[in-house]
Amino acid sequence: MEFGSILISENAANSENPQDVINSNISIVNLMREEKIDDEDIHTDALMSYYLDFYTAQCSQGNFAQFVYNSGWNKELNELIEEALKIIGAPKHLEFFKEQCRKMRLMSSVKLGKFLKGKLDGVNPIRDAINNDAFSEIDENLTELNASFLKNHPDTQILPVDSIFELLEDYLEREIKRN
């Protein structure tokens, strides 16, 4: 049974920093996973936001090649990110992502395998061929769009942290150890 809500803490929702909203979602998704709730039972859009933040962080910190490397170039993840970029309203980022995916499809599986098995740092012509500095030049803020998507989602519940734990405990029909 899918948990039908996206949960965001009141503190995060009231914060001036949009990353706080995303981090609240990430913390709750991580808690659900720690409590052995399967991904299939976590709200799809909560997971989508979770992975979009992963993509954003990877590309921001280490360019597109870092995302490819750390994600293992996963087809399902790529489809989820493409869908996320459509849903949150990031057409320029969507076009960038699709273009990078086309570039990756043209790469031989041997070359991709070598890249994924090698080291990301140091001299790495495959990494350099994958990278594209255009990500940082796109004038759409993925963090703001992602946070706004979460806050305005019809299934989002903004609650105090204790209420979030109570909801999850009711769902699990057992107590959750709180740190």
PDB file of all heavy atoms in Angstrom, residues 156-170:
ATOM      1  N   THR A 156       0.867  16.973  -0.671  1.00  0.00           N
ATOM      2  CA  THR A 156       1.820  17.371   0.368  1.00  0.00           C
ATOM      3  C   THR A 156       1.087  17.736   1.653  1.00  0.00           C
ATOM      4  O   THR A 156       0.090  18.450   1.637  1.00  0.00           O
ATOM      5  CB  THR A 156       2.677  18.563  -0.108  1.00  0.00           C
ATOM      6  OG1 THR A 156       3.512  18.111  -1.175  1.00  0.00           O
ATOM      7  CG2 THR A 156       3.568  19.100   1.006  1.00  0.00           C
ATOM      8  N   GLN A 157       1.629  17.212   2.751  1.00  0.00           N
ATOM      9  CA  GLN A 157       1.164  17.598   4.086  1.00  0.00           C
ATOM     10  C   GLN A 157       2.341  18.270   4.787  1.00  0.00           C
ATOM     11  O   GLN A 157       3.417  17.698   4.881  1.00  0.00           O
ATOM     12  CB  GLN A 157       0.728  16.381   4.896  1.00  0.00           C
ATOM     13  CG  GLN A 157      -0.545  15.730   4.409  1.00  0.00           C
ATOM     14  CD  GLN A 157      -1.006  14.665   5.397  1.00  0.00           C
ATOM     15  OE1 GLN A 157      -1.226  14.954   6.571  1.00  0.00           O
ATOM     16  NE2 GLN A 157      -1.126  13.440   4.912  1.00  0.00           N
ATOM     17  N   ILE A 158       2.111  19.480   5.254  1.00  0.00           N
ATOM     18  CA  ILE A 158       3.125  20.225   6.002  1.00  0.00           C
ATOM     19  C   ILE A 158       2.741  20.118   7.467  1.00  0.00           C
ATOM     20  O   ILE A 158       1.668  20.579   7.873  1.00  0.00           O
ATOM     21  CB  ILE A 158       3.207  21.683   5.515  1.00  0.00           C
ATOM     22  CG1 ILE A 158       3.676  21.701   4.055  1.00  0.00           C
ATOM     23  CG2 ILE A 158       4.128  22.501   6.413  1.00  0.00           C
ATOM     24  CD1 ILE A 158       3.610  23.049   3.377  1.00  0.00           C
ATOM     25  N   LEU A 159       3.623  19.456   8.244  1.00  0.00           N
ATOM     26  CA  LEU A 159       3.291  19.117   9.623  1.00  0.00           C
ATOM     27  C   LEU A 159       4.485  19.313  10.543  1.00  0.00           C
ATOM     28  O   LEU A 159       5.633  19.276  10.090  1.00  0.00           O
ATOM     29  CB  LEU A 159       2.879  17.632   9.705  1.00  0.00           C
ATOM     30  CG  LEU A 159       1.687  17.176   8.871  1.00  0.00           C
ATOM     31  CD1 LEU A 159       1.648  15.667   8.793  1.00  0.00           C
ATOM     32  CD2 LEU A 159       0.406  17.720   9.473  1.00  0.00           C
ATOM     33  N   PRO A 160       4.218  19.451  11.855  1.00  0.00           N
ATOM     34  CA  PRO A 160       5.325  19.424  12.813  1.00  0.00           C
ATOM     35  C   PRO A 160       6.001  18.041  12.752  1.00  0.00           C
ATOM     36  O   PRO A 160       5.351  17.045  12.432  1.00  0.00           O
ATOM     37  CB  PRO A 160       4.654  19.633  14.173  1.00  0.00           C
ATOM     38  CG  PRO A 160       3.268  20.106  13.886  1.00  0.00           C
ATOM     39  CD  PRO A 160       2.927  19.655  12.511  1.00  0.00           C
ATOM     40  N   VAL A 161       7.277  17.992  13.091  1.00  0.00           N
ATOM     41  CA  VAL A 161       8.041  16.742  13.002  1.00  0.00           C
ATOM     42  C   VAL A 161       7.372  15.616  13.798  1.00  0.00           C
ATOM     43  O   VAL A 161       7.275  14.477  13.316  1.00  0.00           O
ATOM     44  CB  VAL A 161       9.504  16.963  13.453  1.00  0.00           C
ATOM     45  CG1 VAL A 161      10.256  15.657  13.561  1.00  0.00           C
ATOM     46  CG2 VAL A 161      10.210  17.897  12.470  1.00  0.00           C
ATOM     47  N   ASP A 162       6.894  15.918  15.012  1.00  0.00           N
ATOM     48  CA  ASP A 162       6.244  14.873  15.822  1.00  0.00           C
ATOM     49  C   ASP A 162       5.025  14.289  15.111  1.00  0.00           C
ATOM     50  O   ASP A 162       4.786  13.078  15.176  1.00  0.00           O
ATOM     51  CB  ASP A 162       5.835  15.432  17.193  1.00  0.00           C
ATOM     52  CG  ASP A 162       7.020  15.592  18.126  1.00  0.00           C
ATOM     53  OD1 ASP A 162       8.068  14.948  17.881  1.00  0.00           O
ATOM     54  OD2 ASP A 162       6.911  16.367  19.098  1.00  0.00           O
ATOM     55  N   SER A 163       4.274  15.131  14.424  1.00  0.00           N
ATOM     56  CA  SER A 163       3.093  14.650  13.693  1.00  0.00           C
ATOM     57  C   SER A 163       3.497  13.769  12.517  1.00  0.00           C
ATOM     58  O   SER A 163       2.795  12.813  12.181  1.00  0.00           O
ATOM     59  CB  SER A 163       2.250  15.825  13.198  1.00  0.00           C
ATOM     60  OG  SER A 163       1.777  16.570  14.290  1.00  0.00           O
ATOM     61  N   ILE A 164       4.624  14.085  11.887  1.00  0.00           N
ATOM     62  CA  ILE A 164       5.132  13.259  10.784  1.00  0.00           C
ATOM     63  C   ILE A 164       5.467  11.867  11.313  1.00  0.00           C
ATOM     64  O   ILE A 164       5.070  10.859  10.720  1.00  0.00           O
ATOM     65  CB  ILE A 164       6.356  13.923  10.112  1.00  0.00           C
ATOM     66  CG1 ILE A 164       5.906  15.173   9.349  1.00  0.00           C
ATOM     67  CG2 ILE A 164       7.072  12.934   9.194  1.00  0.00           C
ATOM     68  CD1 ILE A 164       7.027  16.037   8.807  1.00  0.00           C
ATOM     69  N   PHE A 165       6.158  11.817  12.459  1.00  0.00           N
ATOM     70  CA  PHE A 165       6.481  10.521  13.063  1.00  0.00           C
ATOM     71  C   PHE A 165       5.209   9.748  13.403  1.00  0.00           C
ATOM     72  O   PHE A 165       5.117   8.547  13.142  1.00  0.00           O
ATOM     73  CB  PHE A 165       7.342  10.706  14.325  1.00  0.00           C
ATOM     74  CG  PHE A 165       8.817  10.740  14.045  1.00  0.00           C
ATOM     75  CD1 PHE A 165       9.486  11.948  13.923  1.00  0.00           C
ATOM     76  CD2 PHE A 165       9.539   9.563  13.904  1.00  0.00           C
ATOM     77  CE1 PHE A 165      10.853  11.986  13.669  1.00  0.00           C
ATOM     78  CE2 PHE A 165      10.910   9.591  13.650  1.00  0.00           C
ATOM     79  CZ  PHE A 165      11.567  10.802  13.537  1.00  0.00           C
ATOM     80  N   GLU A 166       4.214  10.447  13.959  1.00  0.00           N
ATOM     81  CA  GLU A 166       2.955   9.783  14.330  1.00  0.00           C
ATOM     82  C   GLU A 166       2.255   9.205  13.102  1.00  0.00           C
ATOM     83  O   GLU A 166       1.748   8.079  13.147  1.00  0.00           O
ATOM     84  CB  GLU A 166       2.038  10.756  15.067  1.00  0.00           C
ATOM     85  CG  GLU A 166       2.527  11.072  16.470  1.00  0.00           C
ATOM     86  CD  GLU A 166       1.826  12.278  17.094  1.00  0.00           C
ATOM     87  OE1 GLU A 166       0.764  12.711  16.579  1.00  0.00           O
ATOM     88  OE2 GLU A 166       2.351  12.795  18.110  1.00  0.00           O
ATOM     89  N   LEU A 167       2.228   9.959  12.015  1.00  0.00           N
ATOM     90  CA  LEU A 167       1.615   9.467  10.774  1.00  0.00           C
ATOM     91  C   LEU A 167       2.319   8.205  10.270  1.00  0.00           C
ATOM     92  O   LEU A 167       1.675   7.234   9.889  1.00  0.00           O
ATOM     93  CB  LEU A 167       1.698  10.527   9.685  1.00  0.00           C
ATOM     94  CG  LEU A 167       0.494  11.375   9.374  1.00  0.00           C
ATOM     95  CD1 LEU A 167       0.814  12.349   8.245  1.00  0.00           C
ATOM     96  CD2 LEU A 167      -0.712  10.549   9.014  1.00  0.00           C
ATOM     97  N   LEU A 168       3.653   8.254  10.264  1.00  0.00           N
ATOM     98  CA  LEU A 168       4.421   7.097   9.797  1.00  0.00           C
ATOM     99  C   LEU A 168       4.253   5.909  10.733  1.00  0.00           C
ATOM    100  O   LEU A 168       4.163   4.765  10.279  1.00  0.00           O
ATOM    101  CB  LEU A 168       5.902   7.461   9.632  1.00  0.00           C
ATOM    102  CG  LEU A 168       6.224   8.416   8.485  1.00  0.00           C
ATOM    103  CD1 LEU A 168       7.690   8.823   8.507  1.00  0.00           C
ATOM    104  CD2 LEU A 168       5.857   7.800   7.140  1.00  0.00           C
ATOM    105  N   GLU A 169       4.180   6.168  12.033  1.00  0.00           N
ATOM    106  CA  GLU A 169       3.963   5.076  12.991  1.00  0.00           C
ATOM    107  C   GLU A 169       2.592   4.449  12.791  1.00  0.00           C
ATOM    108  O   GLU A 169       2.453   3.219  12.871  1.00  0.00           O
ATOM    109  CB  GLU A 169       4.139   5.596  14.421  1.00  0.00           C
ATOM    110  CG  GLU A 169       5.594   5.878  14.759  1.00  0.00           C
ATOM    111  CD  GLU A 169       5.807   6.595  16.079  1.00  0.00           C
ATOM    112  OE1 GLU A 169       4.866   7.244  16.600  1.00  0.00           O
ATOM    113  OE2 GLU A 169       6.938   6.516  16.586  1.00  0.00           O
ATOM    114  N   ASP A 170       1.577   5.265  12.518  1.00  0.00           N
ATOM    115  CA  ASP A 170       0.240   4.720  12.228  1.00  0.00           C
ATOM    116  C   ASP A 170       0.288   3.850  10.983  1.00  0.00           C
ATOM    117  O   ASP A 170      -0.307   2.771  10.936  1.00  0.00           O
ATOM    118  CB  ASP A 170      -0.784   5.845  12.023  1.00  0.00           C
ATOM    119  CG  ASP A 170      -1.164   6.529  13.328  1.00  0.00           C
ATOM    120  OD1 ASP A 170      -0.840   5.991  14.413  1.00  0.00           O
ATOM    121  OD2 ASP A 170      -1.787   7.613  13.266  1.00  0.00           O
TER     122      ASP A 170
END
